[in-house]
Amino acid sequence: MKLFFSNPLVYDYLFGILILVMPFGNALSNISIIILVLLFGLRFQKAMIITWFKSPLFIIAVLVFYLVLQAFINKSFSDDLNYYSRYGYLILVPILVFGINNTQIVKIAAICSVNLIIIISLVNIFIFYDKFGFFPFADSWATNAVLVLERPYTGIYCLISIVLSLEQLLHNKKFKAFFVASLLISVLFIFFISIRISIISFVLISIIYSFFYFKRNIKHKVFMIISLVALLTTFLFLNPNITKRFFLESNIEKSLEKFKESEPRIIIWNCAKQVINQNDFSFFLGTNSYSNIKNTMVQCYKDSIQDYSRKNWFLSRKYNTHNQYLDFYLIGGAFALALLFYFLFNYFIVNKKNFSPVAVIICFTVMMFVENIFHRQFGCLIFTIFVTLPLNQKKQNA
């Protein structure tokens, strides 16, 4: 029995199962992680820890240790345990990823997982359309009701599938039709449900790929850029929800006015300033607790929002900072923010010759401007898994 569970393929396929169940609830993910930890113990090699220690992911571990230490010093750890328990995944999961022997299994499982949530979401969308007579993409609450994951996390997962599918097309001679279909489905779905931050990320990584990783002459590169512009124009014409989601009006002034009126992050980020303006806030160390950040921002929503229904919406949701950089600055000061920037820079330098990890880290870098991805278990998992996979230099072919 021990020989069976110590088989590398058992571990790899169980990691693939974790990838498949991640979008469908934290409980399933946690069960999978517990099993993986037990199997990792049976297969433990010192080299796995050394690899993690030497990787950019160790910088994230230092960041987590710093935040936890500061929480103990400020006597806020128990009150903010809900946050720090999620940060534990940022240390544990990369170590588990370095235990994978065949990364192809995990990558293909990820592509299949994204295809599955897209299919389920499409079924829900058309059931919604059949019932109400319109597509639920103009309002976040309606969109999130029909998606397996909330819109930003659906978007980042689709982007990961796009990058992995392209990687398979370039390096894998098998199942090319499947990978082409998976890539196109994810691209179309991002535009279909109008995921703003993912559309921006897709355009950005497409331009980067065209100029720096597409090994063709200048004519082919120009053709790719023209094709990208044509694709964007087509989607803007066919899907008016994209125009609405980007607050595009007849001129820049009206667009900016619409953006200020409709984008909740304008209020959120202004209220985050209230934490920075507190007398006990330290530029280098931040504030004393997440509880203080939450309470200060909720009070700001109560005092600053005039519209009654909108105020109640903000108070019921108790929005966090919706910016991972701002979040780390508030809780850990400039030191925490510097560690995060150092990780991103270091990771890019280590992987700059390989488009896939560069594209993935760019997508996460962009997303962190509008989401606190480390406040969600799913966010912690997809970040740590897919930024660590390229650093695992073991067998890459199925």
Side-chain angles (χ1 to χ4, degrees):
M1 184 64 71
K2 181 178 179 180
L3 184 62
F4 172 79
F5 285 111
S6 60
N7 187 324
L9 278 178
V10 174
Y11 185 88
D12 295 348
Y13 279 109
L14 281 173
F15 214 110
I17 291 173
L18 167 63
I19 299 293
L20 289 171
V21 302
M22 277 194 316
F24 302 101
N26 293 342
L28 292 172
S29 298
N30 288 333
I31 292 170
S32 301
I33 289 171
I34 290 170
I35 297 172
L36 285 169
V37 169
L38 295 174
L39 294 181
F40 184 88
L42 293 175
R43 304 178 54 249
F44 175 77
Q45 296 176 8
K46 187 178 179 181
M48 298 174 182
I49 299 298
I50 293 174
T51 304
W52 167 72
F53 181 78
K54 292 181 178 180
S55 76
L57 273 299
F58 185 73
I59 300 168
I60 294 293
V62 173
L63 172 57
V64 172
F65 281 125
Y66 161 68
L67 294 176
V68 169
L69 176 62
Q70 184 165 262
F72 274 110
I73 293 172
N74 292 329
K75 299 179 180 179
S76 61
F77 181 78
S78 59
D79 292 336
D80 295 339
L81 182 60
N82 190 39
Y83 298 95
Y84 296 115
S85 61
R86 296 192 189 100
Y87 289 170
Y89 293 107
L90 302 179
I91 299 174
L92 173 63
V93 175
I95 296 173
L96 295 179
V97 172
F98 284 120
I100 297 171
N101 186 63
N102 188 340
T103 57
Q104 275 289 87
I105 293 172
V106 177
K107 292 175 182 179
I108 293 173
I111 295 170
C112 292
S113 177
V114 173
N115 290 343
L116 180 60
I117 69 167
I118 289 175
I119 291 170
I120 295 172
S121 297
L122 284 173
V123 171
N124 292 337
I125 288 167
F126 285 105
I127 290 174
F128 184 99
Y129 181 82
D130 182 63
K131 185 176 181 179
F132 296 102
F134 64 93
F135 288 115
F137 303 139
D139 297 307
S140 295
W141 69 267
T143 306
N144 292 332
V146 298
L147 297 178
V148 175
L149 298 166
E150 289 191 11
R151 181 148 46 185
Y153 294 90
T154 299
I156 190 70
Y157 210 21
C158 286
L159 288 169
I160 289 170
S161 178
I162 291 167
V163 173
L164 293 179
S165 296
L166 177 62
E167 180 184 80
Q168 296 302 313
L169 286 170
L170 295 175
H171 303 295
N172 193 342
K173 296 180 180 180
K174 301 177 182 178
F175 312 114
K176 285 189 176 293
F178 170 74
F179 296 124
V180 169
S182 298
L183 190 155
L184 292 176
I185 288 169
S186 288
V187 171
L188 292 172
F189 194 67
I190 285 173
F191 283 92
F192 178 53
I193 63 175
S194 312
I195 310 176
R196 289 176 301 186
I197 198 65
S198 297
I199 292 173
I200 292 170
S201 296
F202 173 75
V203 171
L204 182 58
I205 63 175
S206 296
I207 292 172
I208 290 171
Y209 179 76
S210 299
F211 280 105
F212 300 106
Y213 296 94
F214 186 53
K215 305 301 181 183
R216 295 291 187 275
N217 60 38
I218 189 65
K219 291 182 179 179
H220 288 92
K221 293 177 184 287
V222 171
F223 177 76
M224 278 199 68
I225 297 299
I226 293 174
S227 299
L228 179 63
V229 172
L231 178 70
L232 293 173
T233 304
T234 301
F235 279 121
L236 283 172
F237 178 76
L238 294 177
N239 187 357
N241 282 314
I242 295 177
T243 302
K244 294 178 182 178
R245 292 283 293 160
F246 279 96
F247 311 111
L248 298 179
E249 300 291 336
S250 57
N251 56 57
I252 295 177
E253 289 77 14
K254 289 184 178 180
S255 296
L256 289 173
E257 184 179 345
K258 184 69 174 178
F259 175 74
K260 292 178 181 179
E261 290 177 356
S262 305
E263 177 51 62
R265 288 175 180 84
I266 298 298
I267 296 173
I268 291 169
W269 293 338
N270 281 331
C271 284
K273 291 180 183 178
Q274 300 300 314
V275 181
I276 299 173
N277 293 334
Q278 290 177 336
N279 292 330
D280 59 350
F281 180 84
S282 168
F283 172 79
F284 292 104
L285 302 177
T287 190
N288 54 23
S289 69
Y290 272 115
S291 299
N292 178 49
I293 295 173
K294 179 180 177 180
N295 294 336
T296 302
M297 292 185 67
V298 168
Q299 186 62 45
C300 178
Y301 300 149
K302 185 177 180 180
D303 296 338
S304 63
I305 302 174
Q306 302 301 318
D307 183 82
Y308 181 78
S309 60
R310 198 176 199 196
K311 177 186 293 190
N312 284 341
W313 176 256
F314 271 75
L315 293 177
S316 65
R317 298 298 296 270
K318 296 181 173 62
Y319 284 118
N320 60 32
T321 58
H322 275 65
N323 183 307
Q324 191 62 64
Y325 307 105
L326 181 57
D327 176 75
F328 277 151
Y329 176 62
L330 294 183
I331 195 62
F335 187 66
L337 193 57
L339 283 171
L340 179 59
F341 285 145
Y342 178 57
F343 161 76
L344 295 172
F345 174 77
N346 186 266
Y347 187 90
F348 175 79
I349 295 299
V350 169
N351 295 282
K352 62 182 179 181
K353 294 182 179 180
N354 189 345
F355 172 72
S356 293
V358 168
V360 168
I361 202 64
I362 286 174
C363 291
F364 280 117
T365 300
V366 172
M367 186 178 181
M368 286 192 284
F369 280 104
V370 296
E371 286 290 327
N372 291 14
I373 63 172
F374 299 144
H375 283 205
R376 292 173 180 261
Q377 178 174 315
F378 182 78
C380 291
L381 291 179
I382 60 169
F383 177 85
T384 50
I385 290 171
F386 295 108
V387 301
T388 308
L389 270 180
L391 303 175
N392 185 334
Q393 298 301 317
K394 295 177 184 177
K395 183 178 178 183
Q396 300 290 314
N397 299 315

